Amino acid sequence: MNQKIPEIDEQIAQLIASLPSSRLLQQAKTPAQIEEWHKARQTQILLAECWKSKWLVKDYYPVEEAVKRQEISQLKAELMYCSLNEKKARWELCKVAEKYVKRRHALLQIWTGYVERFPKPFAHFWYKFFHQASLRQYPFQSAYDLFAETLKEEADGSFSVCLEPYYEVPMKKWRQVGKQYTQLLKQAKLDGTYPQLKKAEEQRLKTNLVWHKVGFSWIGMVLWTCQIEAGNDPLLSKQLVAYNKSSWEALSLGVSASRNLHGWAWHKGELLCTDKAGGVYRKA
């Protein structure tokens, strides 16, 4: 049964407000980790209110009110609106792409029996991104379920770095990969698909991404599937172009906003910051 648009928008708002997942708070052991979870949840709650104000409730301005109360900066408000637009475009993309993602996952399950015959570089890529996913049944019953999982992965993954024994966030590399990805989005073809990277560009992207930490994600699966199918489906192509635009706007603003930020790291539950680029990490 198809749900009405207001019902879906309310459901999405409730989901956004429920992240990061409550189970992760149980894993937070230090005051810094617990504070990080609550800060992330408060941002998500405000983002959910922003979602409702834009698509469900008239004459309601929670983000502007938060700026007036000096709870958030004007820049953070702008970042939240960009994030909101990206999520809306992601939902519209998932509605069209989900049937192709399901079909592509079925192919992964078939291909897993032949992986040993693949060329070594492709086999390595397979094991890094697709092997575990190919061993499980397709887990979603609808496009909403797929979209919801991408939101959970994003919010939970962003918080979970503080639970690692050691996790470094070098802002210089983040800005570099952000700039490179915005260029990639800007150079996308008319159907929304991305240009082929040259070897040097590919290596630079991997270095800045800290490649060994990158793995399978469902939003990655969606975008990979779109690269294959967009040329054959005008509606999918249209939604991919819209998603690329919203991603470009959000990422461009994020890169600009990070210019005065230095790196930080989590070590045994404590937040460490630097006072300058490339500086020594010290307890926050």
Side-chain angles (χ1 to χ4, degrees), residues 1-15 56 88 91-92 95 141-148:
M1 181 184 296
N2 291 327
Q3 289 178 274
K4 296 178 180 178
I5 290 175
E7 292 176 351
I8 283 286
D9 279 330
E10 178 62 39
Q11 193 174 345
I12 291 171
Q14 291 177 12
L15 172 62
L56 287 170
K88 187 67 170 181
W91 166 229
E92 297 300 326
K95 284 197 288 186
Q141 298 298 317
S142 66
Y144 175 81
D145 291 343
L146 171 61
F147 168 72

Side-chain angles (χ1 to χ4, degrees), residues 81-100:
Y81 276 118
C82 281
S83 174
L84 200 71
N85 291 336
E86 183 275 334
K87 286 174 172 57
K88 187 67 170 181
R90 190 192 309 189
W91 166 229
E92 297 300 326
L93 180 63
C94 284
K95 284 197 288 186
V96 184
E98 192 270 339
K99 65 181 180 182
Y100 295 114

